[in-house]
Amino acid sequence: MSPRTVVVLGASGVGCRFALAANAAGHRVTLVDEHPQALKDMSIDAPYFYGAGLPAALNNANAIAQSFLEANPELMECLESGIDVRLSTILWGAFRNGENSIHIGTPKAGLVSREGNELLDHDVLVIASGVRDFVPSFLGWELPGVFGAKAGLALLDYYGVFEGERVLILGTSDIALRLMRSLRSKQITVAGVVEPGSSIAAGPEAAAWIEGEGIPVHFGKVIASAKGKVAVEGARLVTLDGTGSEEIACDSIAVAVATLPNVELPAAMGCGMRFSTELASWVPEVSIQGETSVDDVFYLAPKADEAMIEAMLARISGAARAEWQPSSLTLADASSYIQQWIKSLHQTGGPDVIMCQCESVTRGEFCHLEPPKYLGQGMRTSQTPTNQTDNPHAPRLDQDLVKRMTRVGMGHCQGKRCRDEAAFTLVQRFGIDAEDIRPGSYRFPLRPVDLSLIADDDETDDIRLNWQMWPYETRNA
Amino acid sequence: MQNYDLIVVGAGILGLATAYQARKAGAKVVVLDKGATAYEASSRATGYLSLRGETPEESPLAQMAEKLWDGLDEELGYPTEWTQRGRIWAAVNERELAELKELYQSFEKTDIAFEFVDGQALRKMIPSLTDSCLGGIHTPRSGHANPQRTSQAFAWAFTDLGGEIREYTPVLEVLATGGRVKGVKTPYGEIHAPRVALCAAAHNTLLLAPFGILFPLAPVRLEALVTTPMPPLFDQCFIGNGLSVRQTKRGNLHMNGGPYEWIDLEIDKESPKPTTPIVRNILRRAIETIPLLKGAQFLRSWAGIVDMAPDQMTTIHLFDNPEGLLTVAASGHGFGMAPAVGVAMADLALKGATSLPIEHLSLNRFRHITSDWREKRRWHAGQYNT
Ligand SMILES: Cc1cc2nc3c(=O)[nH]c(=O)nc-3n(C[C@H](O)[C@H](O)[C@H](O)COP(=O)(O)OP(=O)(O)OC[C@H]3O[C@@H](n4cnc5c(N)ncnc54)[C@H](O)[C@@H]3O)c2cc1C
């Protein structure tokens, strides 16, 4: 076997395990992860939803880097085994020759860090990009003190800078349980758990643990609003029919409804995608070797097991390409849980809640495809986004259209906060299955990047001198 | 059910403008697209109206377009973000200045008010412009708009009048018998009408080939991007240092430029339009041009396909054979031209003639072109930056 140059994106557990195995097999491995993130990047809420209340202790970059490493023994192992580990580095794009782009040469991964940017040549790309927070909108969700479960876990377990003392939890799925266990292990009070359904989504064992901890559970309710002037001071809950309500005192509201896979890289690279009901997300189609529809681009799902790592490594080391296979993961149905939350929140909260924080667009404005307020102009006739077609395989609705008309998903966070609520809102409002939507497109860069960091500072003469003044220079050719 | 007066192939801005005008004139019109409405060039453009000083044969039509742009929001009933604040084409080095001065001779052949001004004058118009800007062409008229919003405004105005758009319905073939157009064939059956308007950008070439007609169009991939919003910097159309840069109403800087990649298309397939690392060079040039942009963030990038004719001009053509067939394509400036193109195309389709100034834009000007013109020009698929 000839060693290959492998870029692994994502130093989660499975990313690190794969990197170690590939390194041990003799491949040249570079492992890239955006964590620990700069404060400015954390404020964009991708991949974790920190909200507006970032603890001041995060400013101490050295201490943060130290505790991040200490909390990640597998990452330490990667460093010690000689893997080229790039932390606090964003993989903003990946480029390889393909249809209508045949001048890239060797595949390139665009990396950017505080030091600047680099195009890293490689053979194989392994995407182990993990998951992000799903945080649906409610009144006051922009207040400091509202955050997502993954963000909470990062503050608690990676950085050790969690500041909350009384945390209200929204949701009862596995991720909610993980968060509550971490909070309780640090003696932090869980003020209560909110669940629109009538049972604990994570199952009876979890229910017994919650009861044992004496945590109050509010079944049949959702949050109506986060209360507080400059930060969260409490939450108002309502019953689903809107008749009963109660106030809970808390300084933090953790949204722990679900996590969703980070798929922006395979989507933006043009890998074949399918909708997974279990994961409530479009995910790359992969073979049993984890290979996507793009040769030498692999996707390592967050729950991938050792057998998958082995099969992938065999393929990278020269085994023949295997056929497609549908995912064999059997998971809870995240789609219906997410949909239950969105439905309950919208039914109790109404159309006037801001859904897109970057562009200040309400749910109602979004559903009616209204132009942004700064244009100061309305529409002659109200419109719906569903299309007409005779094609049985066509999407029934194009999320990009709604996005470009309303700007929900076009703001500074690149839609990381709102795109999923937006998609499921369209599903509910227009009675379409999620797989019949064309989801909003993902584009490079995968995170917003400072122009001064990404601009090419070693431009070749070839590019410099042959740059075309579109399109006029050619007119007399 | 399927008896229409006019089938429009392509729901880009040229097809939609044609359909809107034809419907407004009372025709029963259906628009077919192989993908979603305005998902190709028409939503990916920078959004300038150029008055075509560089191709004076087109500038009368561009001037017509400008008049229509001024009333377009009201006409269509939806915001287009039209901003009539002029256009600046700047040179940032001596070589560019010399080239621009030469090109300016062509501008002077039109009856449009263009002026050649120095760097200082340009910096007065755009205070954030680099000190190295030496001068350029100023067009006091002309302006820009939001491509997706404008295309959708045409689409909605058309359906508001009872027009029909069928998406994800590729036209595989134009049907004709006895020298007359009969309709089109799609994977879901035939649709019949006595007139068919091909507004399918570079796909026009593929749809016309079976009739032995050569519509010389070369598809080429171009890259574009936007930054995060900045405070108001300028509201003209800006061209310079190899880029087109416009600030949107929201404040984002929207730009495009750089190397071309010539490609081929397939009739019923959405073409991949990958972004490449060239976006880094676009951003470098943006900072060189407007140093303040250092403070912005790179937010989103995409690519789009332009359909280029050998002389880089718009083509509008009504065929005698088959009768009832007409076509349009605009060589990379169809967005600005669209309001006027729509009127001319609807006239041609429904009345067989138009009073709009299109006499220099017919396909006849290419009658001596041979089928290997792309190779000769080095515009064939796979060529880069030629
Ligand atoms: C990056 C970029 C910047 C630009 N900047 C400007 C600018 O500043 N100003 C300007 O005026 N212009 C600009 N342009 C050019 C402008 O976008 C185009 O000239 C204009 O959009 C052309 O419109 P169209 O309707 O002809 O083509 P398109 O918008 O490409 O529409 C053609 C449609 O036909 C459909 N189609 C193709 N084949 C078939 C088939 N067989 N059956 C059914 N449907 C089919 C396609 O799916 C597509 O929707 C720019 C273009 C790009 C890519």
Side-chain angles (χ1 to χ4, degrees), chain B residues 252-285:
Chain B
N252 309 67
L253 277 297
H254 183 302
M255 57 192 85
N256 104 277
Y260 308 9
E261 186 154 346
W262 300 96
I263 61 172
D264 271 335
L265 305 177
E266 284 173 52
I267 206 153
D268 59 345
K269 194 181 136 201
E270 184 179 337
S271 305
K273 292 165 283 286
T275 291
T276 75
I278 250 347
V279 291
R280 292 154 68 243
N281 306 81
I282 295 180
L283 291 167
R284 177 197 167 118
R285 280 171 182 264

Side-chain angles (χ1 to χ4, degrees), chain B residues 7 173-176 180-185 191-194 196:
Chain B
I7 296 169
E173 198 185 326
V174 176
L175 304 170
R180 263 221 76 94
V181 150
K182 197 177 91 181
V184 298
K185 188 175 142 199
I191 302 178
H192 292 162
V196 173

Side-chain angles (χ1 to χ4, degrees), chain A residues 40-41 44 92 94-95 98-104 108 117-119 358-359 369-372 374-375 377-395 397-398 400-401 403-407 409-414 438-439 441 443-445 447-452 454-460 462-477, chain B residues 36 38-39 43-44 52 54-55 73-79 81 87 89 95 99 103 106 148-149 152 156 159-160 164-169 188 221-222 227-228 239-243 249-250 252 256-261 263-264 266 269-272 274-285 287-288 293-294 296-302 306 308 312 332 377 379 382-386:
Chain A
K40 181 165 112 189
D41 296 334
I44 297 296
W92 63 272
F95 310 93
E99 209 178 330
N100 298 342
S101 172
I102 59 168
H103 299 274
I104 303 289
K108 294 181 171 46
N117 88 84
E118 173 188 0
L119 291 176
C358 298
E359 302 288 311
L369 275 75
E370 275 172 40
Y374 61 80
L375 293 182
Q377 261 174 290
M379 310 203 291
R380 181 168 290 163
T381 314
S382 67
Q383 301 287 344
T384 58
T386 47
N387 61 34
Q388 262 192 311
T389 177
D390 299 325
N391 179 344
H393 306 294
L397 186 158
D398 192 342
D400 274 340
L401 167 69
K403 176 175 106 179
R404 292 168 184 173
M405 290 298 111
T406 63
R407 295 195 62 83
M410 287 187 97
H412 200 159
C413 82
Q414 302 175 310
R438 179 172 176 148
S441 47
R443 309 274 193 208
F444 299 141
R447 301 283 180 270
V449 183
D450 290 359
L451 254 59
S452 52
I454 189 116
D456 188 359
D457 54 7
D458 53 331
E459 195 167 66
T460 61
D462 188 39
I463 290 179
R464 188 76 207 160
L465 303 174
N466 295 327
W467 192 272
Q468 304 246 359
M469 186 61 220
W470 177 64
Y472 311 103
E473 264 174 33
T474 57
R475 58 191 287 269
N476 296 317
Chain B
Y39 205 73
S43 57
R44 295 162 191 265
R52 307 311 302 159
E54 54 276 53
T55 47
D73 282 29
E74 208 174 308
E75 164 86 26
L76 300 178
Y78 301 88
E81 301 186 30
R87 180 166 183 263
W89 189 347
R95 191 190 66 153
E99 282 170 5
L103 186 61
S106 144
Q148 175 88 49
R149 246 179 235 298
Q152 197 61 48
W156 283 337
T159 53
D160 283 350
E164 200 183 313
I165 301 176
R166 294 212 210 146
E167 299 182 309
Y168 303 96
T169 307
Y188 317 105
R221 181 179 58 76
L222 283 182
T227 70
T228 47
I239 302 176
N241 201 16
L243 302 178
K249 286 253 196 288
R250 174 70 175 89
N252 309 67
N256 104 277
Y260 308 9
E261 186 154 346
I263 61 172
D264 271 335
E266 284 173 52
K269 194 181 136 201
E270 184 179 337
S271 305
T275 291
T276 75
I278 250 347
V279 291
R280 292 154 68 243
N281 306 81
I282 295 180
L283 291 167
R284 177 197 167 118
R285 280 171 182 264
I287 295 173
E288 286 168 3
L293 293 187
K294 260 196 230 95
Q297 288 192 305
F298 175 25
L299 192 59
R300 192 163 51 243
S301 62
W302 64 93
V306 159
M308 205 66 95
Q312 299 193 26
R377 189 69 179 264
W379 281 8
Q383 283 295 109
Y384 190 58
N385 219 10
T386 52

Side-chain angles (χ1 to χ4, degrees), chain A residues 470, chain B residues 9-15 32-36 38-49 169-172 199-201 203 207 222-224 256 267-268 302-307 328-337:
Chain A
W470 177 64
Chain B
V9 183
I13 194 164
L14 297 184
L32 306 175
D33 199 291
K34 67 184 168 58
Y39 205 73
E40 292 293 342
S42 297
S43 57
R44 295 162 191 265
T46 306
Y48 292 173
L49 163 68
T169 307
V171 168
L172 304 175
C199 308
H203 283 87
L207 291 165
L222 283 182
E223 302 196 31
N256 104 277
I267 206 153
D268 59 345
W302 64 93
I305 298 171
V306 159
D307 45 304
V328 62
S331 287
H333 43 274
F335 176 73
M337 287 284 200

Side-chain angles (χ1 to χ4, degrees), chain B residues 281-364:
Chain B
N281 306 81
I282 295 180
L283 291 167
R284 177 197 167 118
R285 280 171 182 264
I287 295 173
E288 286 168 3
T289 316
I290 302 171
L292 264 177
L293 293 187
K294 260 196 230 95
Q297 288 192 305
F298 175 25
L299 192 59
R300 192 163 51 243
S301 62
W302 64 93
I305 298 171
V306 159
D307 45 304
M308 205 66 95
D311 58 4
Q312 299 193 26
M313 296 211 307
T314 300
T315 303
I316 299 180
H317 192 94
L318 174 67
F319 296 94
D320 304 328
N321 186 9
E323 214 180 311
L325 185 64
L326 64 163
T327 189
V328 62
S331 287
H333 43 274
F335 176 73
M337 287 284 200
V341 166
V343 175
M345 284 289 285
D347 279 351
L348 290 183
L350 306 180
K351 299 187 235 156
T354 180
S355 60
L356 266 66
I358 59 164
E359 54 279 3
H360 301 299
L361 306 184
S362 90
L363 262 180
N364 297 340

Side-chain angles (χ1 to χ4, degrees), chain A residues 215-418:
Chain A
I215 299 171
V217 184
H218 303 272
F219 285 117
K221 286 184 188 148
V222 284
I223 186 163
S225 60
K227 307 292 251 184
K229 284 207 174 63
V230 291
V232 170
E233 289 164 18
R236 196 168 67 82
L237 308 184
V238 281
T239 55
L240 298 191
D241 59 10
T243 54
S245 85
E246 75 182 291
E247 304 248 340
I248 310 281
C250 57
D251 58 18
S252 314
I253 298 172
V255 186
V257 173
T259 58
L260 295 169
N262 289 314
V263 295
E264 53 269 56
L265 181 54
M269 288 184 80
C271 298
M273 308 284 285
R274 67 179 174 89
F275 184 77
S276 157
T277 309
E278 305 84 57
L279 298 172
S281 176
W282 281 264
V283 291
E285 290 176 310
V286 294
S287 70
I288 46 169
Q289 295 157 326
E291 196 168 10
T292 68
S293 64
V294 179
D295 278 344
D296 283 328
V297 176
F298 294 79
Y299 177 71
L300 203 48
K303 303 231 161 133
D305 56 13
E306 297 309 310
M308 174 59 101
I309 291 180
E310 251 169 62
M312 251 169 76
L313 206 48
R315 166 73 182 135
I316 291 168
S317 305
R321 187 177 179 135
E323 291 306 302
W324 296 127
Q325 83 141 29
S327 158
S328 60
L329 292 176
T330 44
L331 289 159
D333 175 357
S335 292
S336 53
Y337 193 57
I338 283 178
Q339 294 229 42
Q340 181 185 15
W341 266 96
I342 292 177
K343 192 164 169 221
S344 312
L345 285 168
H346 288 206
Q347 151 193 329
T348 54
D352 297 332
V353 175
I354 296 280
M355 179 171 182
C356 168
Q357 289 190 17
C358 298
E359 302 288 311
S360 301
V361 183
T362 66
R363 295 164 180 166
E365 289 161 344
F366 171 75
C367 288
H368 292 111
L369 275 75
E370 275 172 40
K373 287 186 268 301
Y374 61 80
L375 293 182
Q377 261 174 290
M379 310 203 291
R380 181 168 290 163
T381 314
S382 67
Q383 301 287 344
T384 58
T386 47
N387 61 34
Q388 262 192 311
T389 177
D390 299 325
N391 179 344
H393 306 294
R396 294 287 298 113
L397 186 158
D398 192 342
Q399 191 178 355
D400 274 340
L401 167 69
V402 194
K403 176 175 106 179
R404 292 168 184 173
M405 290 298 111
T406 63
R407 295 195 62 83
V408 169
M410 287 187 97
H412 200 159
C413 82
Q414 302 175 310
K416 302 290 183 347
R417 295 189 186 104
C418 61

